[in-house]
Amino acid sequence: MERYLQPTAFFDYDHPRLQAWIESELEGVPDEPVEQIKALYLAVRDSISYNPYVFRTDANTFSASYALESGETYCIPKAVLLGAAARSIGVPSRLGLADVRNHLSSPKLIEWLRSDIFRMHGYIELFLNGQWVKATPAFNRQLCELMKVEPLEFDGVHDSMFQEYTEDGHAHMEYVNDHGLFDDVPHEFIVSGVRAAYSHLFAEEEEPEAPKGSLVQDISSP
């Protein structure tokens, strides 16, 4: 269990700015692990905007501190940020990776990926009250409201995973492949998987060519 508590280059809760952020978010929160994790979950979910277009292969961009400083990122760094914050208060965490089919996306994003499968979706598992529970802080409240999907809640007891359906009954998310659980970010494994799934994005460039803007802007545009 000790390996799920250690700081790493990715779960870098020893970073001064990250330490200050964690302390600020927990101000006034009862000194109880579940209550603290619930507060940190909401902070990660809603204060860091979800934007898949900012994906880069640079290892630094997968770290918790980078997610915090950038203010917008995608599912893996958001999960790592929550996991790092959890480790800082003594709650073991590990990263989960899966492929998901996104039934509710923007035409621009689907065109960019040439697929409705999102390779290497990241979530976090937290060890609370003697059991591992899943948390998915990826989609911020603003994005969920635009998508007409209830924002994912997390009570520290039950798994919090992507909803299968929207509020009006349309298909939303489907988990199609499980890549396992990791005590640290398997950077090379993630990048090679993304390159294999979306080779057209890279061409001869090291980084993918991404559209300008964000998913929120895509959905908000008429």
Side-chain angles (χ1 to χ4, degrees), residues 162-196:
F162 276 139
Q163 307 97 319
E164 290 186 63
Y165 300 97
T166 64
E167 293 174 354
D168 53 8
H170 289 88
H172 175 43
M173 283 290 193
E174 176 187 357
Y175 288 81
V176 297
N177 191 29
D178 181 18
H179 294 294
L181 297 160
F182 305 86
D183 60 3
D184 203 1
V185 175
H187 172 253
E188 292 185 7
F189 175 66
I190 293 170
V191 171
S192 64
V194 171
R195 282 183 176 277

Side-chain angles (χ1 to χ4, degrees), residues 127-144:
F127 194 75
L128 293 165
N129 295 324
Q131 66 176 351
W132 288 101
V133 288
K134 297 177 174 64
T136 310
F139 288 174
N140 49 292
R141 177 174 289 277
Q142 178 191 16
L143 184 59
C144 288

Side-chain angles (χ1 to χ4, degrees), residues 10 55-62 74 76 95 97 119-121 179 185-199 201-202 205-208:
F10 300 104
F55 174 84
R56 295 292 180 270
T57 61
D58 181 3
N60 178 59
T61 65
F62 289 75
Y74 52 100
I76 294 175
L95 179 67
L97 295 172
R119 188 75 179 267
M120 299 294 175
H121 158 66
H179 294 294
V185 175
H187 172 253
E188 292 185 7
F189 175 66
I190 293 170
V191 171
S192 64
V194 171
R195 282 183 176 277
Y198 315 114
S199 58
L201 296 181
F202 293 88
E205 301 297 327
E206 181 66 24
E207 297 292 353

Side-chain angles (χ1 to χ4, degrees), residues 11-204:
F11 288 81
D12 56 348
Y13 63 79
D14 48 356
H15 189 286
R17 184 169 178 180
L18 187 49
Q19 288 180 332
W21 178 79
I22 294 167
E23 183 178 342
S24 173
E25 293 299 333
L26 293 180
E27 186 175 355
V29 178
D31 187 16
E32 193 279 321
V34 170
E35 292 304 312
Q36 291 186 330
I37 288 296
K38 286 163 61 177
L40 291 167
Y41 172 86
L42 290 176
V44 174
R45 187 192 73 182
D46 293 335
S47 66
I48 311 296
S49 298
Y50 176 82
N51 187 3
Y53 297 141
V54 301
F55 174 84
R56 295 292 180 270
T57 61
D58 181 3
N60 178 59
T61 65
F62 289 75
S63 71
S65 60
Y66 186 90
L68 179 64
E69 291 171 354
S70 67
E72 66 169 3
T73 189
Y74 52 100
C75 53
I76 294 175
K78 290 191 72 168
V80 172
L81 176 56
L82 178 58
R87 292 184 184 190
S88 76
I89 60 171
V91 174
S93 68
R94 59 191 185 188
L95 179 67
L97 295 172
D99 298 338
V100 297
R101 174 174 283 111
N102 188 355
H103 293 278
L104 189 65
S105 184
S106 72
K108 180 179 173 181
L109 180 56
I110 297 299
E111 181 181 0
W112 182 54
L113 295 178
R114 298 182 187 172
S115 174
D116 64 350
I117 299 291
F118 287 71
R119 188 75 179 267
M120 299 294 175
H121 158 66
Y123 60 92
I124 203 74
E125 281 200 348
L126 305 161
F127 194 75
L128 293 165
N129 295 324
Q131 66 176 351
W132 288 101
V133 288
K134 297 177 174 64
T136 310
F139 288 174
N140 49 292
R141 177 174 289 277
Q142 178 191 16
L143 184 59
C144 288
E145 290 174 350
L146 288 169
M147 287 181 162
K148 296 184 176 8
V149 175
E150 279 292 320
L152 273 180
E153 303 295 339
F154 180 63
D155 62 7
V157 178
H158 303 94
D159 288 341
S160 174
M161 303 293 283
F162 276 139
Q163 307 97 319
E164 290 186 63
Y165 300 97
T166 64
E167 293 174 354
D168 53 8
H170 289 88
H172 175 43
M173 283 290 193
E174 176 187 357
Y175 288 81
V176 297
N177 191 29
D178 181 18
H179 294 294
L181 297 160
F182 305 86
D183 60 3
D184 203 1
V185 175
H187 172 253
E188 292 185 7
F189 175 66
I190 293 170
V191 171
S192 64
V194 171
R195 282 183 176 277
Y198 315 114
S199 58
H200 63 281
L201 296 181
F202 293 88
E204 297 180 0

